[in-house]
Amino acid sequence: QVQLVESGGGSVQAGGSLRLSCVLSGYALCNYDMTWYRQAPGKDREFVSGINADGSTEYADSVKGRFTISRDNGKATNTLYLQMNSLKPEDTAMYYCKTKPTGARCPSSIAQWTYWGQGTQVTVSS
């Protein structure tokens, strides 16, 4: 019912840039707050950045000024982006997008769940 597919990961040197994408296919009458998380080996999954259906954004302190989140709301799909500049080795992680459907017209069978993508790997070498 709701699917998230990430892409855009890769290997770059420190100081480089990558742009992650996450395509959401879901129920048209729901609103989707969308978030990027990341998980490095041996560490907990952590919040990176989020953007609400109304376009308001939030960033983790560790990425402020370097990462920019944006979204493109289409009729059938929503696409979430994360532009990552000035990458550091500590940004190395698997990056996941997440969404929580909301809205008065969103069926409860969809809105009761939180949905995750499969992840895309980002590796930054020094």
Side-chain angles (χ1 to χ4, degrees):
Q1 293 172 325
V2 177
Q3 292 186 323
L4 298 168
V5 179
E6 299 103 330
S7 62
S11 296
V12 297
Q13 290 191 328
S17 298
L18 284 172
R19 189 191 195 203
L20 306 184
S21 299
C22 173
V23 178
L24 181 154
S25 300
Y27 194 72
L29 294 183
C30 299
N31 298 318
Y32 297 94
D33 296 338
M34 301 183 74
T35 311
W36 287 102
Y37 280 76
R38 66 186 180 187
Q39 187 167 21
K43 295 188 176 181
D44 293 334
R45 192 169 295 189
E46 65 175 4
F47 169 82
V48 176
S49 183
I51 184 167
N52 291 340
D54 63 4
S56 58
T57 60
E58 186 179 5
Y59 297 91
D61 288 342
S62 59
V63 306
K64 280 181 182 176
R66 300 188 298 122
F67 291 9
T68 303
I69 193 170
S70 62
R71 65 188 295 166
D72 182 10
N73 296 331
K75 288 186 176 180
T77 62
N78 293 274
T79 304
L80 177 69
Y81 301 100
L82 187 68
Q83 178 66 44
M84 304 187 296
N85 299 327
S86 302
L87 282 162
K88 304 176 181 180
E90 51 264 44
D91 294 318
T92 295
M94 184 74 78
Y95 283 71
Y96 299 90
C97 64
K98 185 193 85 171
T99 192
K100 181 69 175 70
T102 61
R105 296 188 294 172
C106 190
S108 59
S109 60
I110 295 174
Q112 65 180 315
W113 304 108
T114 296
Y115 301 87
W116 292 86
Q118 83 289 350
T120 185
Q121 178 67 40
V122 171
T123 302
V124 184
S125 58
S126 57

